[in-house]
Amino acid sequence: MTTTPTPPVVAEAPGRPSRRAEGSAAGRVRRRLSGSAAGIAALVIAVLWTVPTAGLLISSFRPAEEIRTTGWWTFLASPEVTLANYRDVLFGSGSDGQLITYFVNSLVITLPSTVFVLGVGALAAYALAWIDFRGRDWLFLGIFALQIVPLQMSLVPLLRFFSQGVSVGGAQILPAWELTGAMAFTNVWVAHTIFGLPLGIFLLHNFVSQLPKSLFEAARVDGAGHGRVFTRIVLPLIAPALVSLGIFQFLWVWNDLLVALIFTGGDSATAPLTVRLAEMAGTRGESWHRLTAGAFVSMIVPLVVFFLLQRYFVRGLLAGSVKG
């Protein structure tokens, strides 16, 4: 009786993709995106994307007269550097600057608005994912539906709530807030938190709901309640997702003009940086050269936040994309 010899199985070298993977559609796409043509295309796109920003940076250090009369590329032939634009926008008087005050206002507005969304969003995501209560699915569906409501539709009702309170049939249910001074920041915090929570809860729910069920069962066997499970298990595991959402929320609030202008009224005591930048060019655009320096002052904090948290941001985007 003869037997057919079995061909030996050749193990793939560790760290190298298998032949099956190389012949698949994903392998073909990987080879095309890692070729020399793709590298050249990426380099061209990066240059085209960076040139306007580089021109803006160069213009911010040029004298005002040269900005008005020549293009930024003439700096390469006859460089002349000055810090007058930054001095004017940061510490100038009247309509020329005082940007440092608005810079602080932006920090006061952005940091609490981001923290509130992360805290409330994480708690709501855990409750909707792992606490069984009546109407949970309908509540999550309603939160998801709130994302399609345009922000502009809720500005007037929310402003009336702050200024007039809530009355039903002539009876005052909730009084007007009537906040002045530094307390006026509360209006902007509440507005940004309300507008950021639907997307924040939805994103965090997707991460929290995919955590292994065995972790929660083991914690309950050990006698842990919802508070301990949330702080000891959920928060450490969703930290990359929290950082990703925090970066998005921070950038949205920092770059916002509409909400801040409506709920602060443009007052120098509470208005953020974006409101001052919109006013800096002057009524007829005669001072537009200051916008070059003002734009980079407004970009400093978002760039620092992104580069410091870039590692966690990428990890948060990739979390949940593969198992294991």
Side-chain angles (χ1 to χ4, degrees):
M1 182 176 180
T2 60
T3 58
T4 303
T6 303
V9 178
V10 180
E12 297 289 343
R16 296 180 57 185
S18 63
R19 293 186 179 91
R20 181 179 299 177
E22 290 181 352
S24 63
R28 291 193 297 269
V29 172
R30 188 183 298 109
R31 288 195 301 272
R32 292 175 181 176
L33 293 180
S34 59
S36 57
I40 295 174
L43 180 61
V44 171
I45 293 174
V47 170
L48 293 177
W49 188 273
T50 307
V51 165
T53 306
L56 188 65
L57 177 61
I58 292 174
S59 296
S60 66
F61 291 101
R62 301 179 68 210
E65 188 60 30
E66 291 191 5
I67 295 177
R68 295 192 186 99
T69 57
T70 59
W72 65 266
W73 51 88
T74 59
F75 175 85
L76 304 177
S78 57
E80 184 177 351
V81 178
T82 179
L83 296 177
N85 294 330
Y86 286 95
R87 184 176 62 251
D88 291 342
V89 299
L90 288 174
F91 309 106
S93 59
S95 61
D96 294 338
Q98 295 180 341
L99 208 62
I100 190 66
T101 302
Y102 296 85
F103 186 90
V104 175
N105 291 345
S106 288
L107 286 176
V108 174
I109 291 173
T110 306
L111 292 178
S113 300
T114 304
V115 172
F116 292 157
V117 170
L118 294 180
V120 178
L123 289 169
Y126 171 75
L128 292 171
W130 294 103
I131 299 179
D132 190 13
F133 57 90
R134 181 176 298 179
R136 181 183 65 175
D137 295 336
W138 287 104
L139 180 59
F140 179 73
L141 181 62
I143 293 174
F144 176 78
L146 287 176
Q147 299 180 62
I148 65 175
V149 178
L151 180 147
Q152 292 81 0
M153 292 183 61
S154 56
L155 291 178
V156 174
L158 189 58
L159 185 61
R160 292 187 60 184
F161 168 74
F162 290 148
S163 60
Q164 302 178 11
V166 177
S167 58
V168 178
Q172 192 77 16
I173 306 300
L174 293 175
W177 289 33
E178 297 180 354
L179 301 176
T180 59
M183 294 300 296
F185 284 115
T186 307
N187 296 341
V188 191
W189 295 338
V190 172
H192 280 302
T193 302
I194 291 174
F195 297 143
L197 275 178
L199 180 59
I201 294 174
F202 175 73
L203 292 179
L204 293 178
H205 176 271
N206 294 338
F207 286 91
V208 176
S209 61
Q210 293 183 7
L211 296 178
K213 187 177 181 180
S214 58
L215 293 176
F216 299 91
E217 293 176 346
R220 294 191 182 97
V221 169
D222 292 338
H226 288 297
R228 185 174 294 273
V229 170
F230 177 77
T231 56
R232 297 294 182 88
I233 297 178
V234 175
L235 282 183
L237 293 177
I238 67 171
L242 288 173
V243 173
S244 300
L245 176 61
I247 291 176
F248 280 124
Q249 178 69 12
F250 186 93
L251 295 180
W252 289 333
V253 178
W254 183 271
N255 295 322
D256 170 73
L257 173 62
L258 180 62
V259 175
L261 185 61
I262 290 177
F263 292 102
T264 63
D267 186 9
S268 60
T270 55
L273 197 60
T274 51
V275 174
R276 188 68 184 116
L277 287 176
E279 301 171 348
M280 191 173 293
T283 56
R284 299 181 180 179
E286 67 276 4
S287 302
W288 67 269
H289 62 277
R290 297 192 182 94
L291 291 178
T292 57
F296 269 90
V297 170
S298 66
M299 290 168 57
I300 291 175
V301 172
L303 287 176
V304 171
V305 169
F306 180 79
F307 285 119
L308 288 179
L309 303 177
Q310 183 180 13
R311 177 181 58 180
Y312 302 97
F313 177 71
V314 175
R315 189 184 305 171
L317 292 180
L318 296 178
S321 60
V322 294
K323 293 184 178 181

